[in-house]
Amino acid sequence: MGSLWGGLDDVQADAGYDADHPPRMGFFTDTSVCIGCKACEVACKEWNDVPDDGYLLTGMSYDNTQELGASTWRHVAFVEKPAVDLGMPTVGPPRDADQSAASGDAGIRWLMSSDVCKHCTHAGCLDVCPTGALFRTEFGTVVVQPDVCNGCGYCVSACPYGVIDLRKDDGRAFKCTLCYDRLKDGQTPACAQACPTESIQFGELDELRERADRRLAELHERGVDVARLYGRDPEDGVGGDGAFFLLLDEPEVYGLPPDPVVPTRTLGSVWKHVGYAAAAVAGLGVAAFSGRRR
Amino acid sequence: MARGEAPMVPDVEFESYYGRQIIKTPTWKTPDVPLYLFLGGLAGCSAVLAEGAALSGRPELERVTRLAAAGGAAAGTVALVHDLGRPERFLNMLRVLKPTSPLSVGSFILAPFSALSGAAAASHVTGLLPRLGRLAGVGAGVLGPPLATYTAALLGNTVVPAWHEAHRELPFVFGGSGAQAAGGLAMMLVPLDQAGPARRMALAGAAVEIAAAESIVLRRGLVAEPYQVGTPGRLMRIARNGTAAASAATLLLGRRSRLASAVAGATYVAASVTTRFGIFEAGLASARDPKYTVVPQRERLARQDGSAKMSR
Ligand code: SF4
Ligand code: SF4
């Protein structure tokens, strides 16, 4: 079954692969250089033959894609925030607005970020999938097998990031495969290939983590104190993400959970309490028949 | 918000992406899944009553509870299969057994329970193969309590805040609610002189259910709010009042009046159904509002920060 939470040096071995499996591959998405061109969204749709999910104008922002889902495997978020601190009460440490990547336009600060499935070390979706449709690949990524999925929807409620979803007309679950087919051919995933600014970087996870640490130090040196890595820490609630990010604001500003935890982390407590309750029900049954005759 | 409803927790400030939800709303359908939660509890606890009835020689009680166990399991299976995006692939549930997936474990409880309770009921009704029928009934009786409570693991082992944070209490809510439903149904359909165990099971189940549901509200802070406000809050209150009224009627008149027993039993069953819909809807409400995802996680981070500073 493998381990349920905490740091994990070799996810593939934990999932039962032999020692000669390929290294764990992933994405490092450096949002500080993202220009919001959506080349990644388009490349992903094209390569993976993902159907359209409606041509809607949200009216809320330039973001008409809205969210990740069964037919959106890359999603570019557009955050518009006043560049000046309005003194609004917020949760978390106070921030210095001047330090961010301010565009200077009309006092608006633009943040863009290409979101994607995190390919978690401890993936809630994979843990709860009752059919085995979701599996860990030899590259350490998490992929759905459409020919096995029966559309139970359990994965949808077990993803702490709100990534995977059922496709309505099809009934089955879909999400980013980290271009499993391209990886097997030694190629770069379509989104990373298409990204003109190298905001999306693909590679061996260990190497990406070092690269991200260097980039963070560089930004901090330049005074961009708001830069922080998200999903980089192998000791976080999902054991670290296979696809992690450099952000310029709090995660929730981008629609990301600030402290995601895989639900299976409390699996022991869940089954223990079910066990107690089942024993209590059996006890009720015995008690109901003891004593008085009618 | 309807009259008389005040949020138990003052409004909190938090940031979000245009107010959009972070986790996905569960794709499980109403009424399929809440009905399944109810039917599993009814069937599981009825199987327990059936074995007791057989052992203590209460043929009327045995007949009703055997049929309730078999019928509840069959109807529950239909609801569960109907909820799937690809119902024709239901059998894929039995491809693997995964302890990390309560739905997988549950399928391996539901499938044998359905077969055993069905066989026991068939044998009881037709009089064929009585020994094997009893043996099947014992098997169903053993699987009954897990069937009635595992559904709480199904909800608890998700990232849906109102369900996950209540994972310690939900098994008792579901087990108690199942006992109340099984006892209630038997109170409706079984003559008074054989319904004693059903009454006692319903009363005790109702007490467990109310205590566990109240403890969610008392102990789980912000994420318990969806159980108190809006539609789910209303459902939870209706269920609690119905359960309490049924218990009062059972205590006062349950042993004397056939009519009172039947009405109280029906109220128990209806309250049990309502509880499942309330809990289900509370989960959906907690998924739709980013507040329930962001604020508790922020508080958790602040606590970790605080303790890290303390230990420095
Ligand atoms: S982000 Fe969600 S869908 Fe992706 S691997 Fe993690 S749990 Fe699964
Ligand atoms: S919907 Fe498909 S992939 Fe998701 S948990 Fe169910 S069977 Fe697995």
Side-chain angles (χ1 to χ4, degrees):
Chain A
M1 176 167 76
S3 75
L4 295 178
W5 56 281
L8 198 56
D9 286 335
D10 191 341
V11 283
Q12 292 100 309
D14 191 63
Y17 286 95
D18 290 338
D20 59 351
H21 62 72
R24 185 174 179 189
M25 306 305 280
F27 287 130
F28 166 45
T29 306
D30 177 356
T31 71
S32 69
V33 294
C34 177
I35 54 172
C37 70
K38 299 201 191 195
C40 50
E41 283 190 17
V42 176
C44 173
K45 285 249 182 194
E46 288 287 330
W47 178 262
N48 293 300
D49 208 9
V50 179
D52 82 75
D53 42 4
Y55 295 93
L56 302 164
L57 296 176
T58 58
M60 71 177 188
S61 73
Y62 287 92
D63 178 7
N64 294 314
T65 308
Q66 306 184 49
E67 62 186 354
L68 292 174
S71 301
T72 307
W73 300 352
R74 270 276 177 193
H75 162 232
V76 181
F78 286 71
V79 179
E80 290 168 72
K81 283 180 85 179
V84 279
D85 188 355
L86 299 175
M88 298 289 282
T90 53
V91 182
R95 284 178 295 279
D96 188 343
D98 292 338
Q99 288 179 329
S100 59
S103 68
D105 292 337
I108 293 287
R109 186 169 61 117
W110 280 101
L111 300 174
M112 289 147 220
S113 163
S114 180
D115 196 9
V116 70
C117 168
K118 316 300 177 288
H119 295 276
C120 311
T121 302
H122 300 291
C125 62
L126 192 160
D127 283 346
V128 303
C129 176
T131 63
L134 274 153
F135 76 110
R136 178 84 56 190
T137 72
E138 65 272 34
F139 303 104
T141 56
V142 179
V143 174
V144 196
Q145 305 169 80
D147 54 333
V148 179
C149 171
N150 69 8
C152 74
Y154 206 173
C155 51
V156 178
S157 294
C159 170
Y161 302 94
V163 170
I164 194 166
D165 204 356
L166 299 186
R167 205 172 273 167
K168 284 258 153 30
D169 50 353
D170 179 290
R172 292 172 298 176
F174 294 90
K175 73 168 189 74
C176 160
T177 67
L178 216 138
C179 284
Y180 188 35
D181 51 347
R182 292 170 70 102
L183 258 56
K184 279 196 281 200
D185 270 353
Q187 295 200 35
T188 300
C191 56
Q193 180 104 40
C195 178
T197 63
E198 291 186 345
S199 171
I200 300 174
Q201 303 178 27
F202 164 77
E204 293 181 21
L205 188 59
D206 287 338
E207 202 269 317
L208 289 176
R209 283 174 173 166
E210 286 168 25
R211 214 190 289 179
D213 291 344
R214 281 198 301 276
R215 173 70 180 155
L216 182 70
E218 182 191 321
L219 285 173
H220 282 175
E221 222 158 86
R222 283 207 247 142
V224 188
D225 287 349
V226 288
R228 86 261 341 249
L229 298 180
Y230 177 80
R232 151 79 175 83
D233 180 7
E235 299 297 330
D236 71 12
V238 298
D241 292 332
F244 65 103
F245 302 80
L246 185 147
L247 304 177
L248 296 173
D249 205 328
E250 300 293 350
E252 57 267 39
V253 171
Y254 298 89
L256 296 164
D259 185 28
V261 174
V262 60
T264 331
R265 182 162 177 164
T266 42
L267 187 72
S269 173
V270 166
W271 282 130
K272 188 176 79 182
H273 286 88
V274 167
Y276 291 158
V281 168
L284 287 188
V286 174
F289 286 93
S290 29
R292 193 165 29 202
R293 176 62 220 179
R294 55 167 294 194
Chain B
M1 206 179 290
R3 251 181 316 144
E5 283 177 12
M8 307 298 138
V9 189
D11 263 351
V12 278
E13 294 286 345
F14 68 100
E15 292 195 271
S16 71
Y17 184 63
Y18 301 100
R20 302 182 65 91
Q21 65 193 76
I22 288 185
I23 60 167
K24 291 269 183 281
T25 309
T27 51
W28 293 330
K29 294 192 278 272
T30 333
D32 299 5
V33 172
L35 271 186
Y36 171 69
L37 301 176
F38 162 74
L39 291 165
L42 172 72
C45 294
S46 292
V48 173
L49 274 180
E51 272 325 290
L55 283 174
S56 64
R58 290 178 168 91
E60 278 302 304
L61 182 63
E62 184 184 354
R63 189 175 58 85
V64 166
T65 48
R66 287 225 184 282
L67 289 173
T77 306
V78 170
L80 196 62
V81 173
H82 184 253
D83 183 63
L84 297 178
R86 289 290 176 99
E88 73 280 9
R89 292 190 184 169
F90 173 66
L91 285 178
N92 281 7
M93 290 285 190
L94 304 176
R95 257 183 96 236
V96 283
L97 172 58
K98 282 171 73 174
T100 58
S101 172
L103 191 49
S104 167
V105 175
S107 300
F108 281 90
I109 298 174
L110 178 64
F113 180 92
S114 302
L116 291 170
S117 61
S123 151
H124 188 77
V125 170
T126 60
L128 297 172
L129 305 172
R131 286 253 178 90
L132 278 180
R134 261 315 295 289
L135 211 58
V138 171
V142 169
L143 287 171
L147 179 68
T149 50
Y150 97 84
T151 41
L154 194 65
L155 301 192
N157 194 39
T158 63
V159 292
V160 176
W163 293 343
H164 185 77
E165 294 304 318
H167 76 261
R168 299 171 194 79
E169 293 88 1
L170 281 182
F172 293 93
V173 177
F174 284 12
S177 184
Q180 152 188 346
L185 189 70
M187 283 168 65
M188 280 169 71
L189 303 173
V190 175
L192 288 179
D193 61 340
Q194 289 192 23
R199 283 193 296 273
R200 289 193 283 278
M201 186 169 224
L203 277 170
V208 168
E209 192 260 319
I210 289 188
E214 285 302 307
S215 119
I216 297 178
V217 169
L218 288 176
R219 293 166 65 186
R220 300 293 162 218
L222 178 68
V223 295
E225 194 179 73
Y227 292 108
Q228 297 159 276
V229 301
T231 304
R234 216 151 29 240
L235 291 172
M236 294 304 284
R237 271 192 303 280
I238 292 171
R240 189 189 51 204
N241 294 342
T243 303
S247 291
T250 306
L251 282 172
L252 290 175
L253 300 166
R255 277 193 288 153
R256 274 177 285 149
S257 157
R258 183 76 182 80
L259 179 66
S261 174
V263 172
T267 311
Y268 270 138
V269 174
S272 176
V273 177
T274 311
T275 300
R276 309 312 169 97
F277 276 85
I279 287 171
F280 187 75
E281 292 295 332
L284 302 199
S286 76
R288 288 192 191 109
D289 189 335
K291 172 170 78 174
Y292 300 116
T293 298
V294 173
V295 175
Q297 294 190 12
R298 271 285 155 216
E299 287 169 357
R300 187 163 65 213
L301 286 172
R303 276 197 304 276
Q304 284 161 12
D305 236 29
S307 53
K309 276 187 191 117
M310 297 265 283
S311 61
R312 239 178 254 156

